[in-house]
Amino acid sequence: MSIDWVAYLIVAGITLLSTLVVVGLYSTGVRLSAAASDRDPGQAAGNRLTLAKAGAYACFTVCGAAVLFGIYLIVPALHG
Amino acid sequence: MVALVIALALFFDFTNGFHDTANAMATPSATGAIKPKNAVALAAVLNLVGAFLSTEVAKTISGGIIREGEGGIQITPVMIFAGLLGAVIWNLITWLLGLPSSSSHALFGGLIGAAVVGAGYGAVDYSVLMSKVILPAFIAPAIALSVAFLATRLAYSITRRHGQEGDKLPRRRGGFRYAQIFSSSLVALAHGTNDAQKTMGVITLVLISGGFQAVGTGPVFWVVAACAVAIAAGTYAGGWRIIRTMGTGLTDVKPAQGFAAETSTAAAILTSTQLGMALSTTQVASGSVIGSGLGRKGAEVRWGTARRIAGGWLLTLPAAAVMGAAAAFTASTGPVGVTIDGVLGLAIILFIFLWSRRNRVGHDNAVSNIDNAGAAVRINKRKARSRGRAAAGRSAATTTTTKAKESSK
């Protein structure tokens, strides 16, 4: 009997990569939004606050796109 | 006979639904990302939608494990009936014990047992069995565990914040709750597209073998609709015992962990399905929960519970096979045997149901201490609350163990 070990490795690899990317991005988003919501930002930090907020939203958006991609994969009608 | 098999198949679909609610919704319920009742409602809707999305899997229900069709054996409705009976009873037993076990393995096991009795050992393709069921059973949790472990580590190291004096700044990890809802919804949707189809496949097979449907055609609409409704109803009924095991029995899940675990589950299932090597949702999800427990400092994994779950996995296929075989053996004596099977099966199902009433686990007590967690983004109370939750989790774990001991007597 032949067992396709390479297929398992590929599954493990892709799973690891995609999970780490999504979790990493979302965590970055959480961290940035936490930074943005700090009280008493000190002087001249206003710009950085906006930047952090924008970064957080960017991260969340990419994660949302990942969810949409997941739905795309689940629904066979979308990719034939 | 055909009507009987269809009814049993739909009932299997129902048990499948409530067995597997936990895969998607245990961690978000445990962290309070979503109220338990809403969680199962969401999962039910997604399963319903998922069942209509695709009928690809339905065409090869036994996945080639049983040599059916040309050159192989003739699968009879009686065999399918016996196999389903074995699968249903095993599913109910594991539910009573709160064990998340794979419904597909139960179905395969039941069918294998019935086929061996009906057509001899040659009916089963053992190399397919090995590469499609047994090996993945070890690999799926291993992959999920390590991925979830690394993802949890990553999430915590990214969100760790210190001020200049080394004091802790607010991390606002509560934000992970929103993400949990999405990642677990993906799992529920994927589950619907896969699992409802197995039942559709079974029913279609019976209809074809009974001569009610042309050979080589796919599931007809009413079959798809009935399966979708059955799995959604099962999901909504909620296997609260299993949700309790997965959500609080294995480890105490925090939002970031839950998100890491659910994302690993979703990623593993989507990847493996895409590559044509379906891993068991249940095994992936359990592995992820354990991995995320190992990944967070201060979280303990209750290995006793993990061992019981692993034991359940090892038993699922042989136990369902034995029950399927016994049912097939009885049924092979003719209509009387089938009647005996039906009556006995119904009696066992009723008995398990009545037994479960002795200590009911419902949406209100499956995961305790979460009623106030919805507003838990406030940081200052967090320590006290998590201590309370840990204690509740421990007591929940002990009750499940004693219950298991009771019933094994």
Side-chain angles (χ1 to χ4, degrees):
Chain A
M1 112 186 53
S2 66
I3 288 152
D4 197 355
W5 293 106
V6 181
Y8 287 114
L9 279 181
I10 293 174
V11 169
I14 297 179
T15 305
L16 182 65
L17 203 72
S18 49
T19 308
L20 289 188
V21 167
V22 171
V23 171
L25 271 173
Y26 196 88
S27 307
T28 313
V30 166
R31 173 163 193 156
L32 286 175
S33 68
S37 61
D38 277 344
R39 275 174 230 151
D40 188 23
Q43 64 271 72
N47 256 335
R48 273 176 48 215
L49 264 183
T50 331
L51 204 63
K53 215 169 212 167
Y57 285 126
C59 288
F60 292 145
T61 312
V62 177
C63 291
V67 171
L68 290 181
F69 181 66
I71 294 176
Y72 166 80
L73 286 182
I74 292 173
V75 185
L78 295 179
H79 55 84
Chain B
M1 191 66 216
V2 170
L4 194 63
V5 176
I6 292 174
L8 192 61
L10 288 177
F11 185 67
F12 169 77
D13 208 20
F14 181 84
T15 64
N16 190 347
F18 85 3
H19 223 270
D20 293 359
T21 322
N23 296 333
M25 291 306 169
T27 53
S29 308
T31 58
I34 179 165
K35 284 211 177 80
K37 253 201 153 151
N38 298 344
V40 293
L42 177 62
V45 170
L46 290 169
N47 266 300
L48 188 72
V49 173
F52 281 107
L53 288 178
S54 156
T55 51
E56 273 310 304
V57 185
K59 285 169 191 156
T60 57
I61 84 115
S62 79
I65 294 172
I66 295 168
R67 295 184 221 266
E68 64 225 78
E70 273 179 51
I73 57 155
Q74 190 67 46
I75 298 220
T76 60
V78 175
M79 254 185 237
I80 297 173
F81 170 76
L84 279 173
L85 202 61
V88 164
I89 292 174
W90 180 251
N91 255 356
L92 286 175
I93 293 176
T94 47
W95 162 72
L96 189 65
L97 298 177
L99 292 179
S101 68
S102 166
S103 301
S104 336
H105 284 198
L107 181 61
F108 290 154
L111 287 175
I112 287 173
V116 165
V117 165
Y121 286 100
V124 180
D125 190 336
Y126 293 97
S127 73
V128 177
L129 177 68
M130 187 73 191
S131 65
K132 279 209 171 163
V133 180
I134 298 179
L135 262 182
F138 290 99
I139 290 170
I143 292 179
L145 192 149
S146 33
V147 170
F149 169 76
L150 290 172
T152 311
R153 273 286 161 85
L154 183 72
Y156 275 92
S157 64
I158 288 180
T159 51
R160 185 169 296 125
R161 303 171 72 224
H162 289 289
Q164 261 130 21
E165 296 87 40
D167 52 332
K168 287 187 173 177
L169 288 172
R171 283 89 176 259
R172 307 201 191 273
R173 286 187 184 131
F176 281 109
R177 284 205 178 85
Y178 307 110
Q180 268 192 293
I181 298 173
F182 291 103
S183 54
S184 51
S185 296
L186 269 187
V187 177
L189 190 65
H191 179 260
T193 43
N194 283 317
D195 279 31
Q197 287 188 56
K198 288 177 194 134
T199 316
M200 291 176 210
V202 170
I203 296 180
T204 306
L205 198 63
V206 171
L207 285 176
I208 290 175
S209 71
F212 291 94
Q213 198 180 327
V215 179
T217 50
V220 287
F221 180 75
W222 69 262
V223 175
V224 177
C227 291
V229 170
I231 202 167
T235 308
Y236 187 68
W240 296 108
R241 291 164 189 273
I242 301 174
I243 291 182
R244 172 188 270 180
T245 308
M246 295 266 284
T248 59
L250 279 169
T251 183
D252 303 312
V253 187
K254 297 264 174 76
Q257 268 177 295
F259 174 60
E262 289 294 340
T263 309
S264 327
T265 309
I269 289 167
L270 291 181
T271 316
S272 64
T273 316
Q274 283 308 302
L275 296 180
M277 182 183 59
L279 299 177
S280 155
T281 315
T282 310
Q283 291 169 346
V284 169
S286 319
S288 297
V289 171
I290 297 179
S292 71
L294 290 173
R296 177 169 69 88
K297 281 190 196 120
E300 51 165 339
V301 174
R302 283 176 276 276
W303 290 108
T305 314
R307 263 198 298 276
R308 284 180 49 228
I309 292 174
W313 289 348
L314 289 179
L315 277 178
T316 295
L317 194 81
V322 167
M323 282 186 270
F329 185 72
T330 320
S332 66
T333 54
V336 183
V338 175
T339 319
I340 294 176
D341 262 359
V343 171
L344 211 63
L346 205 63
I348 294 176
I349 291 165
L350 265 177
F351 175 76
I352 291 177
F353 179 70
L354 289 176
W355 184 279
S356 76
R357 297 298 289 260
R358 296 182 358 147
N359 51 355
R360 202 187 60 86
V361 181
H363 67 90
D364 42 349
N365 62 352
V367 270
S368 36
N369 271 33
I370 56 149
D371 23 330
N372 57 349
V377 195
R378 291 221 306 276
I379 304 295
N380 47 355
K381 278 189 189 163
R382 187 191 229 168
K383 277 246 163 74
R385 202 183 42 247
S386 66
R387 231 177 285 135
R389 203 186 294 155
R394 264 191 295 281
S395 64
T398 20
T399 38
T400 8
T401 344
T402 32
K403 205 165 58 206
K405 271 179 200 147
E406 261 174 29
S407 53
S408 65
K409 269 177 198 166

